[in-house]
Amino acid sequence: MAHKIKTIAVMTGGGDCPGLNAVIRAVTKAAISKYGIKVWGIEDGYLGLIEKRLHPLSYENVSHILSLGGTILGSNNTSNPFKYPVESRTGGSTGSPQRKVILKDVSDSCVRTLAAKKIDALVCIGGDGTQTCAAGLAKKGLTVIGVPKTIDNDLWGTDVTFGFDTAVTTATEAIDKLRTTASSHHRVMVVEVMGRYAGWIALHSGIAGGGDVILIPEIPYRLEKVCDFVMKRNSWGKSYSIVVVAEGAKEVGGKMVVRETVAYSPEPIRLGGIASKLAGQIEQATKLEARSVTLGYIQRGGTPTPYDRILATSFGFEAMELLVNGIKNRLVVMKNGKLSSVPLSQVAGKTRTVPINSPLIKAARAVNTCFGD
Ligand code: F6P
């Protein structure tokens, strides 16, 4: 098929997740072997583009990486081409130079970097921060196709992102293991999972792992409801309980627990710490022994599940199909079991959270799972 694209670049931005390499492989292999298109790899997400760090990718470079976790290109979740921090020296009133950081728009320089290498299009593999920047670059005239990545599954426009299934599998295996030790010691085990402002990982791993309590950001909880439920289980002879809590969960009228704020990041807020806080509160209120575990980055690591490998391969191939068919500035998505695409401009800045009328929540409630409401 005739097409104008001769050279593309591929990058992975934001927090890493299993399946990134499978997408890089699919894009690169399809580009080289099906269409004779040259491929460049941009290192460390937008940071590499800003710093002009890119290298050619060969067919051989992407062999044997399908099942490899992480990303061979590296990633970064603190750089934004539209708000790049640079130090400037100004003459102070006393005459001594003062240092201050200013946020510069370096997006034109990014576009020039790609043009200098005769790169016709960019495949951006990333979550909402990465895709929001991709939409901005598209407005500058760049041809961009986004591929939806994130363990959080919170990208607007797609029913699923690759990386999510692996994270849920990892979290479920951890819950299974925590159940046996919670049972031996008759404890309340509070397990914190990632997900940012969405409760997808908590809901899915909580249901798969048989969590007795599942707390998600979409359903603010009441501490007394959680404690009453745990006590009730105790009175039924269930001497232990598993509480699966999303890092973004919050009490009714309360706030999310923030671990740190990362200056200049497209997503400056980093959540974390709710499990430890909640375990202390439960122990104090119920007098039952409680422990907390934060699963953290193990949810982002390791080899992708077969489902994620297939999804990532399909997404990567679809990205190339769109490009060679002259379609641009869209995000590849999976909708109702079918591959399609949506405009990048529609995705920018939005989050897909769990609908509170989700059939999964109904099913969980039917098996007596407490959501703390
Ligand atoms: O978006 C993926 C994610 O792992 C979130 O679940 C989590 O809140 C965040 O990234 C952690 O970011 P960082 O790698 O900067 O600590």
Side-chain angles (χ1 to χ4, degrees):
M1 185 190 299
H3 57 81
K4 290 192 191 110
I5 305 269
K6 291 194 169 64
T7 308
I8 63 163
V10 57
M11 58 160 274
T12 52
D16 73 337
C17 86
L20 285 166
N21 284 325
V23 181
I24 297 169
R25 169 184 175 269
V27 166
T28 308
K29 285 195 168 181
I32 294 173
S33 66
K34 190 160 187 239
Y35 297 111
I37 292 173
K38 281 191 202 136
V39 185
W40 288 77
I42 298 172
E43 296 163 22
D44 301 335
Y46 288 117
L47 186 63
L49 185 55
I50 294 165
E51 295 177 348
K52 303 184 175 50
R53 287 188 284 115
L54 48 167
H55 58 262
L57 276 181
S58 68
Y59 196 94
E60 198 44 46
N61 290 151
V62 298
S63 286
H64 311 297
I65 64 168
L66 172 64
S67 59
L68 191 65
T71 159
I72 59 163
L73 294 175
S75 195
N76 176 287
N77 64 357
T78 57
S79 301
N80 178 344
F82 296 91
K83 285 183 187 164
Y84 184 62
V86 287
E87 230 181 47
S88 81
R89 281 165 174 255
T90 53
S93 52
T94 56
S96 58
Q98 288 181 344
R99 287 175 167 201
K100 73 169 188 180
V101 172
I102 54 162
L103 295 178
K104 246 182 115 176
D105 180 345
V106 294
S107 56
D108 285 334
S109 153
C110 292
V111 174
R112 281 196 299 273
T113 299
L114 296 172
K117 302 244 182 272
K118 299 197 173 11
I119 291 167
D120 305 305
L122 179 62
V123 176
C124 283
I125 310 169
D128 55 356
T130 305
Q131 303 306 347
T132 300
C133 294
L137 291 174
K139 269 199 196 154
K140 300 244 151 192
L142 212 66
T143 293
V144 189
I145 291 293
V147 177
K149 161 244 69 156
T150 169
I151 62 163
D152 304 334
N153 203 31
D154 62 351
L155 202 57
W156 189 90
T158 184
D159 292 341
V160 66
T161 55
F162 73 86
F164 172 64
D165 185 64
T166 310
V168 168
T169 302
T170 300
T172 303
E173 283 168 6
I175 294 167
D176 288 348
K177 287 181 177 150
L178 291 166
R179 175 178 298 283
T180 57
T181 169
S183 157
S184 310
H185 288 268
H186 316 297
R187 285 173 172 161
V188 180
M189 191 63 79
V190 185
V191 190
E192 177 175 321
V193 297
M194 282 183 164
R196 287 201 311 167
Y197 308 121
W200 294 107
I201 300 179
L203 181 63
H204 282 240
S205 65
I207 291 175
D212 306 300
V213 180
I214 299 176
L215 303 177
I216 59 175
E218 294 83 352
I219 306 178
Y221 65 90
R222 292 185 189 279
L223 181 63
E224 65 274 19
K225 295 264 182 190
V226 175
C227 293
D228 286 354
F229 188 78
V230 164
M231 290 299 281
K232 219 191 293 167
R233 276 178 55 81
N234 225 252
S235 70
W236 296 336
K238 304 278 185 192
S239 70
Y240 75 95
S241 291
I242 303 283
V243 178
V244 180
V245 60
E247 61 180 359
K250 56 174 190 254
E251 267 190 87
V252 174
K255 287 196 175 122
M256 294 181 185
V257 181
V258 175
R259 169 168 50 91
E260 63 174 323
T261 303
V262 182
Y264 315 125
S265 167
E267 299 286 347
I269 304 291
R270 298 292 187 276
L271 299 170
I274 190 166
S276 145
K277 180 181 162 195
L278 192 57
Q281 290 171 324
I282 293 173
E283 188 165 286
Q284 205 183 20
T286 63
K287 308 292 174 232
L288 297 170
E289 207 177 8
R291 292 286 189 271
S292 68
V293 178
T294 299
L295 296 187
Y297 299 95
I298 65 161
Q299 295 160 97
R300 289 208 330 222
T303 185
T305 57
Y307 178 86
D308 274 338
R309 295 180 203 185
I310 294 166
L311 188 63
T313 302
S314 310
F315 278 164
F317 172 60
E318 183 66 12
M320 283 314 302
E321 288 298 287
L322 292 178
L323 281 177
V324 297
N325 283 299
I327 295 163
K328 56 184 187 174
N329 307 341
R330 296 181 75 88
L331 176 77
V332 177
V333 298
M334 182 67 85
K335 269 281 175 203
N336 304 318
K338 285 207 173 104
L339 281 173
S340 61
S341 67
V342 294
L344 273 172
S345 55
Q346 273 181 22
V347 177
K350 293 186 194 151
T351 301
R352 191 179 74 97
T353 52
V354 178
I356 51 169
N357 61 353
S358 151
L360 270 185
I361 295 180
K362 284 188 193 145
R365 288 194 197 276
V367 296
N368 211 17
T369 306
C370 168
F371 283 86
D373 57 342

